[in-house]
Amino acid sequence: MERLYETMYRLLENTTSEFHRYIYDRINWDNRMLGLVGPRGVGKTTLFLQHIKHANQTDRALFASADNLYFSDHTLFDTAEAFSKSGGAFLYLDEIHKYEGWSRELKAIYDSFPDMHVYFTGSSILDIERGEADLSRRAPKYHLQGLSFREFLAMRHGIETPAFSLEDIIEHRASIPGVTPPLPYFREYLISGYYPFGQDPDFSIELAQVINRTLEVDIPQFANMNASTGRKLRKLMALASTLAPFKPSMAKLASQIGASRNNLEDYLLFIEKAGMTAQLREPSSSINALGKVEKVYLDNTNILYNLSDGAPDVGTVRETFFFNQMRVNQKVFSSPISDFQIDGATFEVGGKSKGARQIRDAAQGFIVKDDIEYGHGNVIPLWAFGLSY
């Protein structure tokens, strides 16, 4: 296992601990096993490496990627056994979905080594969910989103501000101390701030690669699809980038990408769970039921800018940002009279000239305006909703 340790030490040397993602303190690290899932590129690997350093576990930890060549002739279970015999206590397995039969072996590790903590990540939440049957009640799963506007300010510009609740935001208590105006930072965030690697010189190329690999490799591979289905997913994503937000017509979309109408709903769900799109649903009268899909958005504004060659519709950017940031901590639904509703409150999103006509019949209505620095009454700056996590 010396190769694995050498790789881990190199990674730890290049890992900084000054900034922790929002989910870091929400994770119960005392769990014997847990999973951290989410889209490609949002920082799952870095978060685990940070915890090894922060918790002073280096002497008793092993971090390894499941696609390391080491596992071509070693099993996860044998590795865990050897690690345990050498006094190891904290086993971190990155991109676990790339190891065939991962869930069965993790279950065996959990049952065989009661003193060992096992933490794993998965870039494709599809396969993590498919493998959950073997790990039910053993491994709580945490879902990591991309950077909020608040996290972007801290990570990219060293500007610290606390997270604010939705109540704080609508009561105009959300602020960025010492920053006036916030709009230049906000514009930067919309284009390249959602992903931790957004400051890379080749960010647009790297993000395009993330999108293509998710659609052409991750989803087909872990949802048992063939290569031709991967091409259909890419067509669907390209179509979504030109239409979003749109109300899906299954028959029309299926015809446009050359797929069966019966499969299209699954395709939309797959690309949503892989972090490429987001479906805005109507509120359901049943606690356990999912409401009807009202609109499909691209997942975040960085993807929107990337797929539109830097010139997306400004109204779509605004709505995408609001939906993306709010759904981390809130249940966001479509509104029959406006754009969104959260906990009975209605939100109409627009530019600084947006009026209140759409919310005049709302019991509790708010106008969310872009291009303004300060709010008043029921008018709230759009950027403020990026301080919620």
Side-chain angles (χ1 to χ4, degrees):
M1 296 195 301
E2 288 304 316
R3 286 180 291 167
L4 297 181
Y5 281 112
E6 289 176 3
T7 300
M8 179 183 73
Y9 292 140
R10 282 198 303 272
L11 292 171
L12 287 172
E13 285 180 2
N14 292 295
T15 300
T16 60
S17 300
E18 289 81 10
F19 170 77
H20 284 165
R21 294 298 313 282
Y22 73 97
I23 205 171
Y24 187 89
D25 291 328
R26 300 183 186 183
I27 295 174
N28 181 2
W29 296 101
D30 291 331
N31 282 308
R32 281 187 52 209
M33 182 177 286
L34 63 85
L36 181 64
V37 299
R40 281 178 171 268
V42 295
K44 300 181 297 297
T45 300
T46 298
L47 191 145
F48 272 8
L49 291 168
Q50 285 179 328
H51 185 65
I52 293 173
K53 296 180 73 171
H54 182 72
N56 295 317
Q57 296 174 348
T58 306
D59 293 339
R60 295 186 297 155
L62 175 62
F63 178 95
S65 179
D67 64 351
N68 191 296
L69 287 176
Y70 176 87
F71 293 108
S72 62
D73 53 5
H74 297 82
T75 67
L76 289 179
F77 184 87
D78 290 343
T79 301
E81 184 175 38
F83 178 57
S84 177
K85 288 179 178 179
S86 68
F90 304 97
L91 180 60
Y92 294 80
L93 297 169
D94 200 23
E95 298 197 283
I96 193 67
H97 56 271
K98 294 185 177 180
Y99 183 96
E100 186 175 355
W102 62 270
S103 59
R104 293 189 300 273
E105 290 206 39
L106 286 188
K107 178 179 179 297
I109 292 171
Y110 182 95
D111 293 339
S112 301
F113 308 107
D115 294 329
M116 184 180 297
H117 293 257
V118 182
Y119 311 129
F120 59 90
T121 75
S123 291
S124 170
I125 65 172
L126 304 175
D127 197 51
I128 295 295
E129 292 184 350
R130 194 177 65 192
E132 271 188 331
D134 290 338
L135 297 174
S136 59
R137 299 182 304 278
R138 290 178 173 84
K141 184 178 62 178
Y142 297 87
H143 193 165
L144 180 63
Q145 297 277 17
L147 298 173
S148 66
F149 179 46
R150 183 190 72 85
E151 291 183 303
F152 157 81
L153 289 170
M155 182 179 182
R156 197 81 59 86
H157 295 286
I159 300 171
E160 299 284 348
T161 184
F164 294 92
S165 67
L166 179 59
E167 181 181 4
D168 289 332
I169 294 170
I170 63 179
E171 293 292 334
H172 305 294
R173 291 194 289 265
S175 64
I176 307 172
V179 174
T180 303
L183 297 179
Y185 294 107
F186 185 53
R187 299 290 169 241
E188 181 186 355
Y189 172 83
L190 295 175
I191 298 171
S192 63
Y194 187 71
Y195 293 92
F197 60 96
Q199 60 188 343
D200 292 355
D202 294 323
F203 170 66
S204 61
I205 297 174
E206 294 171 357
L207 180 54
Q209 291 172 341
V210 165
I211 295 169
N212 290 336
R213 188 161 181 82
T214 298
L215 298 172
E216 296 178 355
V217 178
D218 289 353
I219 297 176
Q221 181 177 353
F222 304 119
N224 292 323
M225 297 176 174
N226 56 36
S228 64
T229 304
R231 290 191 290 271
K232 292 175 183 177
L233 291 175
R234 190 171 181 184
K235 286 183 181 179
L236 181 58
M237 187 68 178
L239 191 61
S241 70
T242 63
L243 299 175
F246 65 94
K247 187 175 181 66
S249 168
M250 297 304 177
K252 184 176 180 180
L253 286 174
S255 175
Q256 288 177 296
I257 69 170
S260 164
R261 185 188 185 284
N262 294 334
N263 292 332
L264 191 69
E265 189 170 344
D266 286 339
Y267 292 174
L268 287 171
L269 187 60
F270 290 159
I271 63 175
E272 178 186 32
K273 288 190 173 183
M276 296 290 101
T277 62
Q279 298 185 40
L280 180 66
R281 298 177 179 274
E282 298 175 351
S284 173
S285 58
S286 171
I287 294 176
N288 297 319
L290 290 175
K292 184 178 179 182
V293 176
E294 180 62 27
K295 288 182 181 179
V296 176
Y297 288 84
L298 295 189
D299 179 78
N300 61 78
T301 60
N302 290 187
I303 290 179
L304 186 57
Y305 271 92
N306 188 277
L307 295 181
S308 64
D309 294 324
D313 175 77
V314 66
T316 300
V317 172
R318 292 162 177 161
E319 291 184 29
T320 300
F321 171 80
F322 181 91
F323 186 27
N324 170 266
Q325 300 284 282
M326 282 292 94
R327 70 175 188 266
V328 172
N329 292 326
Q330 312 288 334
K331 291 183 178 180
V332 184
F333 298 105
S334 64
S335 168
I337 60 174
S338 186
D339 291 323
F340 304 98
Q341 58 177 312
I342 303 173
D343 292 334
T346 300
F347 296 87
E348 175 71 17
V349 181
K352 60 183 178 182
S353 62
K354 169 64 69 174
R357 180 177 58 84
Q358 286 91 341
I359 63 168
R360 61 189 177 190
D361 295 326
Q364 186 182 19
F366 298 94
I367 302 297
V368 181
K369 291 189 178 185
D370 195 7
D371 298 319
I372 64 171
E373 295 179 33
Y374 305 102
H376 56 87
N378 69 340
V379 176
I380 308 169
L382 178 61
W383 59 263
F385 292 88
L387 306 181
S388 64
Y389 71 91

